[in-house]
């Protein structure tokens, strides 16, 4: 079989680059985002959090912009000593490289070119009409950047590392050690440098740029993820790098280079699931940009492939879905905000926006733990754009917390999944509305003020992205408050109707 022909049996859909390249479970994300890092026996085997902070500020972790060991854009710029990412003339060289690897290119009807997603961004454009089911792009196993390739270089020294970490080391090695001798040398020239060429994931930003995110769910994530990576790098430096400086030359395996590799892994790697199983960077495929409603990728026995989900005209940008992600996730992980994001969400924290108070405090704790299947004292709750998505967790939590002195707590949380008597429903919706107002108060400026700031001339791209995120989240809060108010008023009206019936 030619390497360019896809076999018919798929190994399953791929999860496109969950937070920092899909190398942790969602629960680990949530804990990290709240400043509750759980240490494993060997920190080098730790999973890296996936997504975004459910907080407008860093929390209890002792992390602050002033205390972080950050690097400047100049330091990152010094890390890019060869090759530049450019739209002009990029595709012929890249295509020649792909073809030269022996890959069958007969199915490829796209090209890499600049797109209007954001300044400096590249994407894939159709060179011929494409129909649903046509192959957009694919990468054979031989071209994937994986942990297995890192083991080929360093052997047992990297076998215990998480896939993401091994891939980051491989990126540094191929770009800065092997350089032109690397199999991926041409591909490396197409990768962003994050030195002003593109915005980049917000965990790469400077502390003053993080301040623009204050109040958003992306603020704490960006700060904590940067610090997490810094701690990870320091540990590698004192163990793996120190043990074998010949294999890991200190002048190459620097913090700027490692952070660059982390940015690439975060925004370009794919795994089979949210745990990052079989994590890989797929050259050419990784130029596909995100659009909600497109298809995700599929792994076959000999590579990774993306299919068209609709008809594309010549010159039209082709898309893949990165999965259901909020704008905080998209900005923190990829460096962009989707103005029409149907998966937008904000988060509420028990303890900050929602309180577990008397009466029935012990019963409430037990019901919450049963419902959430995690410790409730510092749980975070998703407020999705679609109110129907609130029914499984958010609304039942509000009902539990709203239990009053005249209510008898049920024996199981399942009893609170359905609508309750009007008095409890009204109390639950009022409680939820108050929590949304508390969440809104965390932003340093109002929705109107942020909208006006966004129209200011001369805004940097990163500041504009931060404002777009804050605006998107605040717009969702306003929509959610409208829904909550309507539900509260309906419950109150039902209460009055019930009272009138009882009086008769």
């Amino acid at each position: 079989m030619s390497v360019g022909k896809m076999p018919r049996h798929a190994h399953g859909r791929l999860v496109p680059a969950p937070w920092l390249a899909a190398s942790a479970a969602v629960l680990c994300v949530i804990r990290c985002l709240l400043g509750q890092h759980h240490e494993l026996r060997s920190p080098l085997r730790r999973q890296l959090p996936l997504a975004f902070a459910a907080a407008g500020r860093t929390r209890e972790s002792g992390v602050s912009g002033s205390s972080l060991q950050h690097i400047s854009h100049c330091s990152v710029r010094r890390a890019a000593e060869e090759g530049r990412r450019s739209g002009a003339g990029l595709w012929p060289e890249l295509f020649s490289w792909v073809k030269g690897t022996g890959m069958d290119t007969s199915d490829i009807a796209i090209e890499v070119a600049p797109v209007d997603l954001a300044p400096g961004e590249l994407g894939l454009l159709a060179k011929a009409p494409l129909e649903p089911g046509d192959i957009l792009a694919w990468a054979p196993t031989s071209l994937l950047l994986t942990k297995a390739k890192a083991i080929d270089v360093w052997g047992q020294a990297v076998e215990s590392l998480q896939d993401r970490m091994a891939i980051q080391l491989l990126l540094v090695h191929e770009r800065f050690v092997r350089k032109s001798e690397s199999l991926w040398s041409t591909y490396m020239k197409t990768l962003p440098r994050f030195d002003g060429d593109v915005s980049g994931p917000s965990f790469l930003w400077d502390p003053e740029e993080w301040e623009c995110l204050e109040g958003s769910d992306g603020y704490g994530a960006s700060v904590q993820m940067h610090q997490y990576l810094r701690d990870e790098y320091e540990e590698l430096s004192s163990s793996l790098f120190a043990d074998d400086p010949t294999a890991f030359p200190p002048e190459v395996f620097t913090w700027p280079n490692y952070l660059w590799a982390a940015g690439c892994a975060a925004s370009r790697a794919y795994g089979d699931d949210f745990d990052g199983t079989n994590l890989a960077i797929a050259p050419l495929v990784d130029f596909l940009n995100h659009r909600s409603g497109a298809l995700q990728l599929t792994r076959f026995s000999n590579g990774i492939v993306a299919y068209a989900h609709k008809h594309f005209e010549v010159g039209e940008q082709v898309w893949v879905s990165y999965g259901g992600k909020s704008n905080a996730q998209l900005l923190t992980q990829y460096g962009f905000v989707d103005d029409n994001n149907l998966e937008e969400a904000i988060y509420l924290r028990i303890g900050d926006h929602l309180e577990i108070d008397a009466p029935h405090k012990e019963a409430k704790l037990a019901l919450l733990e049963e419902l959430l299947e995690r410790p409730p004292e510092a749980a975070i709750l998703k407020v999705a754009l679609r109110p129907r998505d609130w029914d499984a967790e958010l609304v039942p939590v509000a009902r539990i917390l709203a239990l009053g002195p005249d209510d008898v707590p049920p024996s199981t949380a399942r009893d609170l999944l359905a609508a309750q008597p009007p008095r409890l429903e009204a109390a639950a919706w009022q409680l939820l509305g108050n929590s949304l107002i508390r969440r809104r108060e965390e932003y340093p400026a109002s929705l109107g003020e942020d909208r006006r700031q966004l129209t200011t001339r001369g805004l940097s791209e990163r500041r504009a992205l931060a404002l777009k995120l804050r605006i998107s989240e605040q717009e969702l809060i306003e929509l959610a408050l409208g829904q909550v108010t309507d539900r509260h008023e309906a419950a109150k009206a039902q209460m009055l109707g019930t009272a009138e019936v009882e009086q008769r």
Side-chain angles (χ1 to χ4, degrees):
M1 178 184 295
S2 168
V3 296
K5 301 302 181 184
M6 294 291 99
R8 294 184 179 182
H9 57 283
H11 284 192
R13 296 293 179 185
L14 291 177
V15 178
W19 172 237
L20 284 194
S23 56
V26 172
L27 183 58
C28 181
V29 178
I30 300 309
R31 287 171 175 166
C32 175
L33 299 175
L34 293 171
Q36 300 168 339
H37 302 269
H38 285 229
E39 301 296 329
L40 303 182
R41 287 185 181 178
S42 170
L44 285 182
R45 298 174 64 88
R46 278 192 307 225
Q47 299 286 15
L48 186 62
L50 297 175
F52 51 96
R57 300 172 180 272
T58 51
R59 304 189 42 74
E60 301 176 3
S61 59
V63 178
S64 67
S66 59
S67 66
L68 289 177
Q69 294 176 298
H70 205 280
I71 61 173
S72 67
H73 288 313
C74 293
S75 298
V76 178
R77 198 170 290 120
R78 286 194 295 270
E81 80 290 342
E82 98 292 329
R84 295 302 299 174
R85 193 175 194 245
S86 171
L90 182 90
W91 175 242
E93 184 179 6
L94 185 61
F95 184 74
S96 176
W97 169 71
V98 169
K99 196 169 183 178
T101 64
M103 174 179 166
D104 183 345
T105 58
S106 59
D107 290 327
I108 295 180
I110 48 83
E111 62 181 342
V112 177
V115 294
D116 59 3
L117 182 67
E121 289 290 347
L122 301 175
L124 296 184
L125 304 184
K127 294 199 301 180
L130 294 169
E131 301 300 333
D134 285 350
I135 292 176
L136 297 178
W138 81 283
T141 301
S142 60
L143 291 188
L144 302 182
L145 289 136
T146 62
K147 179 179 176 178
K149 301 292 199 317
I151 292 174
D152 289 343
V153 176
W154 294 294
Q156 293 182 347
V158 298
E159 281 186 349
S160 64
L161 298 182
Q162 294 296 326
D163 285 19
R164 171 192 55 80
M165 296 172 68
I167 290 171
Q168 288 169 191
L169 296 181
L170 182 63
L171 283 167
V172 173
H173 176 77
E174 296 298 327
R175 180 183 167 199
F176 297 104
V177 176
R178 292 187 55 77
K179 299 181 180 178
S180 62
E181 296 179 357
S182 170
L183 170 66
W184 296 277
S185 61
T186 301
Y187 169 71
M188 290 292 165
K189 296 177 184 178
T190 70
L191 294 178
R193 291 342 189 206
F194 308 120
D195 59 357
D197 54 353
V198 296
S199 169
S202 58
F203 70 85
L204 299 176
W205 296 8
D206 292 331
E208 60 269 20
E209 292 167 331
W210 287 332
E211 292 302 318
C212 300
L213 293 166
E214 187 175 352
S216 77
D217 286 336
Y219 177 81
S222 302
V223 176
Q224 291 191 40
M225 293 313 306
H226 185 97
Q227 187 64 44
Y228 191 102
L229 287 164
R230 181 73 202 196
D231 293 344
E232 181 178 87
Y233 171 78
E234 294 296 342
E235 187 172 348
L236 283 169
S237 295
S238 62
S239 55
L240 183 65
F241 300 169
D243 291 344
D244 193 348
T246 301
F248 301 96
E251 69 275 11
V252 170
F253 286 85
T254 62
W255 167 234
N257 289 352
Y258 189 78
L259 187 61
W260 164 79
C264 289
S267 56
R268 310 185 84 83
Y270 296 83
D272 287 351
D273 51 39
F274 281 98
D275 291 325
T277 307
N278 297 319
L279 197 68
I281 293 179
L284 190 59
V285 176
D286 62 351
F287 284 100
L288 283 160
N289 290 318
H290 166 77
R291 175 158 290 180
S292 178
L295 298 177
Q296 293 188 326
L297 305 184
T298 302
R299 183 189 299 276
F300 288 87
S301 59
N302 65 340
I304 293 175
V305 64
Y307 294 103
H309 69 290
K310 71 176 195 68
H311 173 79
F312 289 99
E313 296 287 353
V314 175
E316 187 177 356
Q317 183 176 183
V318 299
W319 309 89
V320 72
S321 171
Y322 295 174
K325 289 180 170 60
S326 71
N327 276 328
Q329 288 174 287
L330 293 175
L331 183 58
T332 309
Q333 181 179 350
Y334 302 100
F336 69 91
V337 170
D338 184 349
D339 293 331
N340 300 297
N341 190 359
L342 298 179
E343 303 298 330
E344 183 62 306
I346 57 100
Y347 284 76
L348 303 175
R349 302 185 298 276
I350 292 180
D352 288 326
H353 310 117
L354 295 159
E355 297 290 346
I356 308 173
D357 292 329
H360 315 303
K361 186 170 183 178
E362 293 304 316
K364 289 177 181 178
L365 284 167
L367 289 167
L368 288 169
E369 187 153 10
E370 177 196 346
L371 176 70
L372 301 175
E373 298 182 338
R374 58 186 185 270
E377 292 86 351
I380 67 171
L381 303 166
K382 182 178 181 178
V383 182
L385 181 63
R386 296 177 288 266
R388 67 175 180 270
D389 294 337
W390 305 351
D391 294 341
E393 191 170 276
L394 181 64
V395 176
V397 165
R399 290 174 182 140
I400 292 171
L401 297 178
L403 289 168
D406 297 330
D407 297 308
V408 177
S411 59
T412 174
R414 292 191 297 273
D415 292 342
L416 293 169
L417 294 175
Q420 299 298 299
R423 180 174 52 79
L424 180 55
E425 284 294 285
W429 289 111
Q430 182 172 4
L431 182 149
L432 192 52
N434 291 339
S435 69
L436 288 167
I437 291 171
R438 293 190 192 99
R439 177 67 185 84
R440 183 177 61 186
E441 290 172 348
E442 293 180 343
Y443 294 94
S446 69
L447 175 58
E449 290 169 335
D450 277 349
R451 284 171 172 165
R452 285 191 291 275
Q453 285 189 57
L454 189 58
T455 63
T456 304
R457 290 186 178 181
L459 282 179
S460 69
E461 182 190 356
R462 289 179 173 179
R463 180 168 178 78
L465 285 169
L467 285 169
K468 286 183 178 181
L469 174 59
R470 287 182 1 192
I471 289 168
S472 179
E473 290 183 350
Q474 290 187 80
E475 287 176 342
L476 173 54
I477 291 174
E478 294 305 313
L479 288 172
L481 278 170
Q483 289 283 338
V484 168
T485 300
D486 290 345
R487 303 282 186 92
H488 179 242
E489 292 299 322
K492 286 201 305 181
Q494 193 175 358
M495 283 175 59
L496 291 174
T498 302
E500 289 176 359
V501 171
E502 291 175 350
Q503 288 176 357
R504 293 173 188 171

